[in-house]
Amino acid sequence: VNGSYSMNFDGIQSFDPTSYIMLEDKKTGVMHDVRSGDYQFTSSTNDNWNRFVLHFTPAAKVNTTNATCAAEGQITIEQPGTANWNYTVTNSNNAVISSGSLNQANPVTVSAAAGVYTITFTDANNYTVVKNIQVTGAQQITANIAADKATAETGEDISFASTSVNAVTSEWNFGDGATSNSPLAVHSYASEGTYAVSLTVSNADGCSSTTVKQLTITAKAATGLNEIA
């Protein structure tokens, strides 16, 4: 019947939001983005039955690789087809760890520790898609030593602290045969010389890390004055 019509679209949310869904009106040459709402048109009895065609572009593909104690995980993003995006990847602290262009010729690989990340896709028309993903696997750990001095005299106390994040065990070797299993330790040296203090830490995932700090121990300075006869 000749007249004016409105075409509406239901169930769009069942498609991946990075897939464009376009309605082509072959009579008018219009390409209508069905996510933008209804399509208004006029029709006559002489119109071709094949006047309308729906076009779907491939969705972006997001995959993750598990993190291990030895290496961070990975986030890989691919965009088949003709879609072009500007993307950003942010961590749980909203810090950007990667950004740039994504299209069929430019896939993206991002190194990422175990955790939750947000990927934001924005196209040239400011259409924006946000996806949350999780990189699973082991959380890496890095051993860090804090000492209140790098040079001390024999018999002088030196305070040590493990500032390693998420450590559940701490093992100290002070280089003179003495050890400790506490995150905080106090140690003094009986003999002058150079000592390598090592700290090995581990976390709940069983990952471990070791670091070494060099200390210089000097002879204790004289504390009195000799009398002159």
Side-chain angles (χ1 to χ4, degrees):
V1 178
N2 297 339
S4 297
Y5 297 89
S6 176
M7 191 180 296
N8 57 66
F9 309 88
D10 295 325
I12 297 173
Q13 67 277 5
S14 65
F15 293 90
D16 190 290
T18 60
S19 176
Y20 293 121
I21 309 174
M22 306 296 293
L23 175 71
E24 179 185 8
D25 186 337
K26 296 169 70 175
K27 179 178 180 179
T28 64
V30 170
M31 294 291 288
H32 174 73
D33 182 356
V34 304
R35 298 184 192 276
S36 67
D38 296 351
Y39 180 65
Q40 313 291 334
F41 64 98
T42 59
S43 183
S44 71
T45 57
N46 295 324
D47 284 351
N48 191 318
W49 283 101
N50 295 321
R51 173 178 173 176
F52 296 103
V53 181
L54 276 174
H55 298 268
F56 298 83
T57 64
K61 298 178 181 179
V62 181
N63 294 296
T64 61
T65 301
N66 290 348
T68 67
C69 292
E72 290 187 332
Q74 285 189 334
I75 302 169
T76 57
I77 314 170
E78 298 177 328
Q79 177 57 73
T82 59
N84 288 277
W85 304 96
N86 289 321
Y87 80 93
T88 59
V89 181
T90 56
N91 61 19
S92 57
N93 295 321
N94 206 34
V96 176
I97 65 170
S98 182
S99 63
S101 298
L102 170 70
N103 53 48
Q104 188 173 28
N106 294 296
V108 174
T109 300
V110 183
S111 294
V116 177
Y117 296 87
T118 299
I119 305 175
T120 303
F121 303 85
T122 305
D123 70 5
N125 296 316
N126 212 33
Y127 171 60
T128 300
V129 176
V130 177
K131 292 191 173 189
N132 294 317
I133 61 168
Q134 184 169 11
V135 176
T136 57
Q139 192 72 249
Q140 291 179 296
I141 188 170
T142 301
N144 289 301
I145 295 175
D148 65 346
K149 52 182 74 74
T151 302
E153 297 177 349
T154 55
E156 182 180 359
D157 284 343
I158 306 173
S159 296
F160 298 91
S162 169
T163 56
S164 313
V165 178
N166 296 326
V168 294
T169 66
S170 301
E171 298 178 5
W172 297 92
N173 187 322
F174 297 107
D176 62 351
T179 60
S180 175
N181 293 321
S182 172
L184 304 176
V186 177
H187 186 65
S188 62
Y189 292 85
S191 303
E192 59 186 296
T194 300
Y195 294 88
V197 179
S198 68
L199 170 66
T200 299
V201 295
S202 64
N203 61 17
D205 290 330
C207 300
S208 63
S209 174
T210 299
T211 188
V212 177
K213 185 177 182 66
Q214 298 290 332
L215 296 180
T216 300
I217 306 301
T218 61
K220 189 174 182 65
T223 58
L225 295 177
N226 294 327
E227 292 184 0
I228 299 176

